[in-house]
Amino acid sequence: MNLLLDSRFRGNDIDGSAILISVGVIGCGHWGPNHIRIFSQLADSRVLMCADLDEKRLSSIKGLFPEITTTKDYKDILKNPAVDAVVVAVPTNYHFKISKEALEAGKHVLCEKPLALLANECLQLGEIAQKAGKILMTGHIFVFNQGIVKLRDYIASGEMGKIHYAHSERTNLGPFRYDVNALWDLAPHDISIFNYLFNSAPISVSARGHKCLGGNLEDLGFATIDYPDNIMVNVHVSWLDPKKVRQITVIGSQKMVAWDDLDTEGPIKLYDKHVEKTSVYYETYGEFQLLSREGGITMPKIGFNEPLKAQAQYFLQCVSKNQPPLLADAVKAADVVRTLDAIAESINRKGELVKL
């Protein structure tokens, strides 16, 4: 059966009960094959085509998914009227160009992070999508991670009290990239996470980066990011650490929580710990004394899900219901890119504070 021609695989079923969305994947490098796998597994989508410049990658995809049409020219996907939606998984500097072409060709678009290299380009893509009546979504995958969702629930409930600060660590030995530096590669994840956790974009940043390997791109970086309500965040990213780390710690006035994405048994740990001031007067040490209060540790049960799958399901839902992808739309993508631009500016100015 030819999925390109069979109308049963496009639009509403006769009874209006289901929509099967046809997907094309542009870029079959690191993430492209994962998108192909996920959209091929889901009941309400099919991958019809994929594109890449590397014949070996296309041959590999064809061996795993013989029903998929492969091409070296991504425009073949954009010209195919049977393709409803496109996944853009190419190097970052091509995100804007290909996403724009896809939207103008009448396709819904899911683009890997960051959506573009400039914040105004993200907003421009959002305007094009709105005028075309198409869904544009950015692959901020960690907002679909159940551990991060639980972390946000703790913060939003007020259980942690006033949030003082947070810090994240995202390190590994490689993989090395040659299109963007370590901050543009890794920090979009953490920035999108903290924007999601605090329901806000940053207000200022200060950052330092280092080119340890002597190349043109920073392979490690430290960024201090200020959020409203006097919340300070520190982000550490690196391609040069001996072990892979994916951790976030959030400190509140009443409780503290740690997230470890690599801990499959208990990724979230809620610490019933805080610091309080005594009401006793001390002539020598001032009017109060700081005391630590320590309680137990809670490890909530976190349901297993593959974030990439949850992200794909959300995208398909937005497409089928024609609803904006509020978790990862063009505005949120622009907030992340604007922050990355400010980080780059701060690095160039040797760590000076840059306001957004």
Side-chain angles (χ1 to χ4, degrees):
M1 177 171 52
N2 189 342
L3 297 182
L4 295 173
L5 301 177
D6 194 324
S7 62
R8 288 179 298 166
F9 287 89
R10 295 177 49 74
N12 290 305
D13 286 350
I14 295 176
D15 62 0
S17 62
I19 295 178
L20 193 65
I21 297 167
S22 302
V23 178
V25 176
I26 300 176
C28 299
H30 181 61
W31 278 107
N34 289 316
H35 286 292
I36 292 172
R37 171 179 58 84
I38 291 293
F39 281 108
S40 296
Q41 291 174 349
L42 294 175
D44 46 0
S45 65
R46 293 290 187 275
V47 179
L48 296 185
M49 300 182 70
C50 69
D52 199 279
L53 295 175
D54 191 328
E55 288 278 11
K56 292 182 178 179
R57 290 177 181 172
L58 293 179
S59 296
S60 176
I61 295 297
K62 196 68 174 178
L64 294 171
F65 304 94
E67 72 281 6
I68 295 177
T69 300
T70 62
T71 177
K72 292 183 68 175
D73 187 352
Y74 72 88
K75 292 186 179 181
D76 291 338
I77 294 177
L78 304 186
K79 294 175 184 176
N80 189 339
V83 174
D84 302 306
V86 168
V87 176
V88 178
V90 298
T92 303
N93 50 320
Y94 294 105
H95 283 187
F96 174 74
K97 170 183 168 59
I98 295 180
S99 295
K100 181 173 182 290
E101 291 179 9
L103 290 169
E104 291 174 341
K107 312 301 184 186
H108 303 283
V109 173
L110 170 60
C111 181
E112 276 297 330
K113 58 80 186 170
L115 180 57
L117 290 173
L118 299 174
N120 63 352
E121 289 181 340
C122 296
L123 298 177
Q124 183 181 341
L125 290 174
E127 292 174 359
I128 294 172
Q130 186 176 24
K131 290 179 181 178
K134 298 300 175 182
I135 299 301
L136 170 66
M137 180 171 151
T138 309
H140 290 152
I141 189 171
F142 281 94
V143 302
F144 300 96
N145 181 291
Q146 288 302 301
I148 296 300
V149 173
K150 185 65 176 179
L151 182 51
R152 190 193 195 203
D153 289 343
Y154 280 136
I155 294 172
S157 71
E159 182 176 356
M160 298 179 63
K162 165 72 174 66
I163 303 301
H164 293 313
Y165 76 94
H167 65 86
S168 67
E169 188 173 359
R170 189 174 297 273
T171 64
N172 198 23
L173 186 59
F176 306 102
R177 291 181 59 170
Y178 303 95
D179 56 335
V180 293
N181 64 19
L183 285 153
W184 274 85
D185 176 29
L186 301 174
H189 288 311
D190 298 295
I191 296 168
S192 64
I193 288 172
F194 288 122
N195 288 4
Y196 172 72
L197 293 180
F198 304 137
N199 196 29
S200 173
I203 57 178
S204 63
V205 302
S206 175
R208 294 298 301 269
H210 198 38
K211 302 171 184 176
C212 298
L213 300 179
N216 296 323
L217 302 172
E218 289 84 2
D219 29 61
L220 74 91
F222 296 87
T224 299
I225 306 175
D226 296 309
Y227 282 85
D229 203 21
N230 200 31
I231 299 174
M232 177 181 286
V233 169
N234 184 263
V235 174
H236 171 208
V237 298
S238 174
W239 292 331
L240 289 174
D241 275 46
K243 61 180 181 178
K244 184 175 182 178
V245 177
R246 299 288 185 269
Q247 296 178 349
I248 289 177
T249 303
V250 182
I251 307 301
S253 61
Q254 297 300 315
K255 293 185 179 181
M256 308 171 184
V257 64
W259 169 77
D260 185 344
D261 194 36
L262 303 183
D263 187 341
T264 56
E265 294 185 356
I268 289 284
K269 294 181 175 63
L270 180 68
Y271 296 84
D272 187 10
K273 297 183 178 185
H274 66 277
V275 177
E276 63 182 38
K277 299 176 182 179
T278 66
S279 59
V280 180
Y281 180 80
Y282 292 89
E283 292 186 2
T284 305
Y285 300 106
E287 296 182 355
F288 62 85
Q289 185 179 51
L290 296 176
L291 297 176
S292 62
R293 300 298 185 189
E294 300 196 16
I297 301 174
T298 302
M299 295 175 59
K301 182 176 177 59
I302 304 296
F304 174 79
N305 82 324
E306 185 176 358
L308 192 65
K309 181 178 180 180
Q311 175 183 271
Q313 290 172 322
Y314 180 75
F315 175 67
L316 294 173
Q317 175 183 305
C318 291
V319 170
S320 64
K321 296 184 177 181
N322 193 30
Q323 63 184 30
L326 298 179
L327 288 176
D329 60 11
V331 173
K332 288 185 172 57
D335 288 338
V336 171
V337 172
R338 191 177 294 110
T339 305
L340 289 167
D341 283 337
I343 287 173
E345 182 180 349
S346 180
I347 289 175
N348 290 335
R349 290 160 54 179
K350 304 298 182 182
E352 286 186 21
L353 185 72
V354 175
K355 294 184 178 180
L356 283 86

